[in-house]
Amino acid sequence: MNKHPSRELPVRSRLEMIEDIAEVVRSLHQGELARHLLDDLKTRALFFEAEIQQDVLMFCEQVEFQFTYDPWHRVTLEIQRAADKLIEDLGFTNEKK
């Protein structure tokens, strides 16, 4: 039984969002658009602050734009930046920095 994001612990929802981001990037790299995961990100973002909502929209827009307009469906620097910002604002950092 799946919990609705509004009833989920914020930390669990953040971890699910991280998994969605990784899967979206993997799918795009394989030439597929994981629209259901983009929708899940948008739904979960509704229960977070405005900055995360904006980050999610930016990431989703970058992915959808890339999928629509680039026949090779590559993961671009813009997608990487949008994903990195969203991940960081979700509270996860890159230890390599």
Side-chain angles (χ1 to χ4, degrees):
M1 177 168 81
N2 289 338
K3 278 188 176 181
H4 189 270
S6 66
R7 299 188 179 272
E8 205 167 53
L9 290 174
V11 68
R12 182 67 192 147
S13 195
R14 289 173 190 265
L15 290 171
E16 289 292 330
M17 291 173 80
I18 296 294
E19 289 177 17
D20 287 351
I21 294 165
E23 186 64 23
V24 164
V25 169
R26 184 198 63 77
S27 295
L28 184 63
H29 183 69
Q30 293 179 340
E32 301 168 3
L33 182 60
R35 192 169 307 280
H36 67 286
L37 296 176
L38 296 177
D39 291 342
D40 185 60
L41 282 169
K42 291 174 190 175
T43 299
R44 288 177 186 285
L46 292 173
F47 304 100
F48 288 97
E49 57 272 10
E51 184 175 23
I52 290 177
Q53 292 175 14
Q54 292 171 349
D55 291 345
V56 166
L57 290 177
M58 179 59 81
F59 175 72
C60 292
E61 288 174 4
Q62 289 294 331
V63 168
E64 290 171 341
F65 177 85
Q66 186 65 21
F67 185 82
T68 301
Y69 293 104
D70 184 354
W72 296 103
H73 310 305
R74 295 180 38 210
V75 178
T76 63
L77 185 58
E78 290 81 10
I79 292 172
Q80 179 183 343
R81 286 180 183 150
D84 288 346
K85 180 164 181 4
L86 174 54
I87 290 166
E88 185 174 310
D89 288 346
L90 285 170
F92 300 87
T93 59
N94 184 351
E95 296 293 325
K96 295 179 186 178
K97 287 185 177 180

